[in-house]
Amino acid sequence: GAVVSQHPSRVICKSGTSVKIECRSLDFQATTMFWYRQFPKQSLMLMATSNEGSKATYEQGVEKDKFLINHASLTLSTLTVTSAHPEDSSFYICSARDKGTSGSVYEQYFGPGTRLTVT
Amino acid sequence: GDSVTQMEGPVTLSEEACLTINCTYTATGYPSLFWYVQYPGEGLQLLLKATKADDKGSNKGFEATYRKETTSFHLEKGSVQVSDSAVYFCALSDRGATNKLIFGTGTLLAVQP
């Protein structure tokens, strides 16, 4: 099946620094990738939709200057958390969309997530 | 806007017990419906899906039927195993250009031997 990887799986950084998280589709091309944030014991919150070769679309309330998204190729999207603060500590999950077998129904394949801790 | 409501957990069951996790949705159009499972320390995996009314999705002994009249997509399994312990998320996807997924809050299932 379709595999999506994320790197790193865990990262600890100091307050004020920037952190880059990579999301790769390993065996398929993904024109669209999604970035989610998951708080402990809560659901996934969509942060932004990333389309290859164009600017990301951010959900309401998500700061685009703080969470920089680059989708430079059909297999790679990156999320950079700039000037990270402790409140940015969270579990970040990406997904990549592949066309399903049911015509217009698109399936999303999820990466294993990245645990970010800002000290 | 579109939304998904699922029962709060945790749900604690003994092995071989029957499972039902309720999920209802609100949508303006005709969404596709999904159940995702998240095992401890892992990312989400698609468990099953249904794309239109009366469709039944099934996988690994789990089933869910797309009920348009009750706007529901309840997850069921006749006999759970310890290995089914995980968090289960109900989700919907609209049929628009973005096909964004909207998730419920997740239900933790703990199966005891």
Side-chain angles (χ1 to χ4, degrees), chain B residues 10-93:
Chain B
V11 174
T12 303
L13 296 174
S14 297
E15 208 165 18
E16 298 183 2
C18 294
L19 168 71
T20 299
I21 300 178
N22 291 334
C23 171
T24 57
Y25 67 91
T26 302
T28 53
Y30 301 94
S32 295
L33 302 175
F34 305 83
W35 277 100
Y36 283 86
V37 58
Q38 185 178 33
Y39 297 103
E42 299 183 14
L44 273 71
Q45 301 174 28
L46 177 64
L47 180 60
L48 53 84
K49 67 178 181 181
T51 60
K52 61 184 186 297
D54 299 325
D55 267 4
K56 177 186 282 188
S58 62
N59 185 27
K60 300 181 181 180
F62 291 90
E63 293 183 340
T65 301
Y66 190 143
R67 302 286 188 198
K68 184 182 174 185
E69 63 276 13
T70 54
T71 62
S72 65
F73 193 55
H74 305 322
L75 182 67
E76 299 177 325
K77 187 173 186 181
S79 176
V80 295
Q81 306 299 314
V82 173
S83 57
D84 294 326
S85 298
V87 180
Y88 292 81
F89 292 93
C90 185
L92 69 80
S93 173

Side-chain angles (χ1 to χ4, degrees), chain A residues 62-82:
Chain A
V62 178
E63 299 176 58
K64 60 181 65 177
D65 293 331
K66 181 164 188 62
F67 298 100
L68 300 179
I69 292 173
N70 187 331
H71 193 160
S73 78
L74 287 172
T75 59
L76 173 64
S77 176
T78 61
L79 168 67
T80 301
V81 183
T82 63

Side-chain angles (χ1 to χ4, degrees), chain A residues 28-47:
Chain A
F28 67 99
Q29 293 184 331
T31 55
T32 302
M33 291 184 173
F34 301 87
W35 286 97
Y36 297 85
R37 186 172 178 178
Q38 185 180 26
F39 293 98
K41 299 183 179 181
Q42 293 189 27
S43 189
L44 281 73
M45 180 193 78
L46 179 64
M47 300 175 65

Side-chain angles (χ1 to χ4, degrees), chain A residues 38 43 46 59 97 106-107, chain B residues 38 46 49 98-99 103-104:
Chain A
Q38 185 180 26
S43 189
L46 179 64
E59 295 300 301
R97 193 175 77 181
Y106 290 85
E107 292 193 25
Chain B
Q38 185 178 33
L46 177 64
K49 67 178 181 181
T98 60
N99 280 149
F103 287 89

